[in-house]
Amino acid sequence: MKHTELTVRNYTGFATTIFLTGLVSVGFGAVDILLISPKGLDQVAAVGLGDVINAGLTALLAIGVVDTFSSRLAIAEGRGDLARRLPVLASALLVLLLVAQASAVLLSSAVQPGLRLAGQDPRLAGLAADFVIVRGCSLGFTILYAALNEALKICGLKNRSLLLLVVGLATNAALDWAFLYTPLSGRFASPVVAVAAATTGSQLLIACFALRFFLRRMRARGERFTRPERASVVAETRSMARNAPGVGARHFNDYAGTITVTLLLGTLGVQVLAAVTVATKIWSLFCRIPQACVSGTFVYYGYRLGQDESDLPTAARTLPATTRSSPATARSLPATARTLLRYAAVPTAAGAVTVALAAPWLVRLFAGAGQDERLTRSLLFAFLLTVPAYLLENHFGEILSVHQRGALLATASAVTTYALAVPLAAVGVFVLHSPFLVTASGVLPSAVLATAFHRSLRKDHWTRSEVGRDTGVGVPA
């Protein structure tokens, strides 16, 4: 299959599609804020606060499930036995989806009491909680549409995935308008609930069309699926359940660290908080470039791992990716990782230089009246100083995700976030009173993680000592 071959053209096309997908994804939240803004500041603030909380729940409960499913799907596609593996993987995904959905309902019910304990305005807390409850009760749709979109990209339909997201954005805008400004608005308790319901509806639509496109692709390829054995599904579910929470915890730790550092910087005054907000917005837009590149790393490394496994004896393929290797794998995987890193470094470096040169214009574009533009530019440059370490951390982290190292990812990210990143930020704020040093200090946790991840890969996955190792734990193929 040509789309699984690691070439400059394939990688560039894939990463470009993911970059555009990321930009379109930003539009969902922007459209919600734009259309609800005439309803009042309290509604806007509630959607903003609710969206932040929902992002944390999604990171904790959804991303790990989707990444674990996607990495195994990419390995199966690279190995050429998608038809055999997909029924088992899909069944395990549905089980984990139900568990995540139940957990989301429980956690979302605690949002309003938690916000009140944190001193939030009671009305704002109630509205934000309503938003989170609606989104939490539909987390299953979020997982389903995200997993199906990943499946489209992995199976060579990346352009269809992007098209579906554009259609979903247009649908989200149309539903926002209908639920807010037509007689349908009377069916919702508040504008906040209407906006949350609109997002849920658009996600469900994307999932339905993605499933249709995916099944048509499988039929065109002549794939025939058989009903999976119960024992295979149970074993796969257990294996995915061991890995997914760790991957999700890693993303949640990153999210929590970012929020905590921003809150600490906010104690230095309104000007600092405004500068941090604008610099973070520009940085987030820039990060779509390295994030798109490491998404390519995730998929093409998975293909390569699957292709190497196709040379293993059938019995060896039943071992988890963390416990098997071959002489060919020990040679090819490091080379593949280096190639992918070179492919990612070029556009990331070009993007960083472009942002640095355009910094004065970008700051003026996003800054409000009376904002300290010099401070904002300095914080943006501080963010850019972390680019090399940020890229290496995420590059090796995605590779470890393919190798199903959720526990390592969770532990390492927790230690560096709460024992390194947050204390460094506290020292920078309360001792040094330097927003620049607080922002630039992010390079140290990323460098530590990159080093730890690379060391683990070299020790556990990129050496011949792995050949023949058998822990006795198997995942039926």
Side-chain angles (χ1 to χ4, degrees):
M1 291 174 284
K2 291 185 177 180
H3 68 273
T4 65
E5 298 175 3
L6 179 54
T7 64
V8 174
R9 180 177 180 179
N10 280 352
Y11 179 88
T12 302
F14 187 92
T16 300
T17 301
I18 300 302
F19 173 73
L20 295 175
T21 297
L23 293 181
V24 175
S25 298
V26 174
F28 280 81
V31 165
D32 288 344
I33 294 296
L34 179 65
L35 289 176
I36 202 174
S37 57
K39 297 294 183 177
L41 289 177
D42 55 344
Q43 304 293 324
V44 174
V47 169
L49 179 58
D51 204 33
V52 169
I53 298 171
N54 182 69
L57 287 177
T58 302
L60 183 63
L61 299 175
I63 294 180
V65 174
V66 174
D67 279 4
T68 300
F69 168 79
S70 302
S71 63
R72 298 182 182 208
L73 193 69
I75 292 171
E77 179 75 344
R79 196 165 59 201
D81 67 346
L82 184 65
R84 185 164 58 94
R85 289 284 288 144
L86 183 60
V88 179
L89 290 172
S91 299
L93 173 69
L94 291 176
V95 174
L96 296 183
L97 181 153
L98 294 175
V99 174
Q101 179 63 81
S103 301
V105 171
L106 291 175
L107 290 174
S108 61
S109 65
V111 168
Q112 184 169 0
L115 289 175
R116 288 185 174 180
L117 286 175
Q120 293 288 337
D121 177 84
R123 173 171 167 75
L124 179 62
L127 290 172
D130 289 343
F131 181 92
V132 176
I133 288 172
V134 174
R135 295 297 303 276
C137 290
S138 61
L139 184 72
F141 293 151
T142 302
I143 295 175
L144 188 61
Y145 104 86
L148 285 168
N149 269 274
E150 290 300 312
L152 289 179
K153 289 180 282 190
I154 289 169
C155 295
L157 294 177
K158 60 183 185 298
N159 292 333
R160 292 290 180 89
S161 174
L162 176 59
L163 174 63
L164 282 177
L165 203 61
V166 172
V167 172
L169 176 60
T171 301
N172 188 69
L175 290 179
D176 275 341
W177 177 81
F179 292 170
L180 289 170
Y181 300 106
T182 71
L184 291 175
S185 62
R187 296 179 177 273
F188 301 98
S190 68
V192 169
V193 173
V195 165
T199 301
T200 298
S202 63
Q203 289 180 346
L204 180 59
L205 179 71
I206 295 174
C208 291
F209 277 103
L211 180 60
R212 181 182 178 185
F213 286 146
F214 182 77
L215 293 177
R216 287 178 61 185
R217 174 70 166 181
M218 294 299 101
R219 284 196 295 268
R221 283 169 40 167
E223 304 283 13
R224 293 186 178 182
F225 304 110
T226 58
R227 184 175 180 177
E229 296 180 358
R230 183 175 180 275
S232 298
V233 174
V234 171
E236 190 74 46
T237 302
R238 288 175 177 173
S239 177
M240 289 178 64
R242 286 193 296 269
N243 185 70
V247 177
R250 176 205 172 196
H251 289 281
F252 179 79
N253 290 333
D254 292 343
Y255 159 86
T258 300
I259 294 297
T260 302
V261 171
T262 300
L263 291 175
L264 289 173
L265 285 168
T267 63
L268 294 177
V270 175
Q271 277 287 3
V272 172
L273 184 58
V276 170
T277 300
V278 172
T280 300
K281 174 63 70 175
I282 299 171
W283 166 254
S284 298
L285 292 173
F286 159 76
C287 282
R288 298 294 175 182
I289 297 175
Q291 287 169 1
C293 291
V294 298
S295 293
T297 296
F298 180 84
V299 171
Y300 280 95
Y301 188 91
Y303 289 156
R304 177 75 264 179
L305 186 58
Q307 290 160 2
D308 286 347
E309 286 180 7
S310 66
D311 297 326
L312 291 172
T314 303
R317 298 178 200 171
T318 63
L319 297 175
T322 56
T323 61
R324 62 170 176 261
S325 186
S326 68
T329 300
R331 291 190 300 268
S332 67
L333 291 183
T336 300
R338 288 192 296 270
T339 300
L340 288 166
L341 183 57
R342 288 196 298 270
Y343 287 176
V346 173
T348 299
V353 171
T354 301
V355 170
L357 294 176
W361 178 80
L362 290 172
V363 169
R364 284 195 295 271
L365 177 66
F366 287 98
Q371 184 164 331
D372 189 337
E373 294 186 8
R374 182 177 179 182
L375 174 61
T376 306
R377 288 196 301 272
S378 73
L379 294 184
L380 179 57
F381 284 121
F383 275 123
L384 293 176
L385 291 176
T386 69
V387 168
Y390 175 86
L391 177 61
L392 288 172
E393 173 202 342
N394 285 278
H395 174 77
F396 294 129
E398 290 299 286
I399 292 175
L400 283 173
S401 292
V402 176
H403 280 293
Q404 312 298 297
R405 298 299 301 275
L408 171 63
L409 293 169
T411 302
S413 65
V415 170
T416 53
T417 297
Y418 306 113
L420 189 59
V422 172
L424 281 175
V427 170
V429 169
F430 300 118
V431 178
L432 302 177
H433 308 288
S434 172
F436 179 87
L437 290 179
V438 171
T439 306
S441 67
V443 71
L444 188 55
S446 287
V448 170
L449 282 174
T451 302
F453 291 166
H454 183 255
R455 183 177 182 275
S456 176
L457 286 168
R458 291 189 61 184
K459 178 183 177 183
D460 300 330
H461 305 286
W462 292 348
T463 64
R464 295 195 183 192
S465 62
E466 283 292 293
V467 179
R469 180 185 297 184
D470 186 347
T471 63
V473 180
V475 179

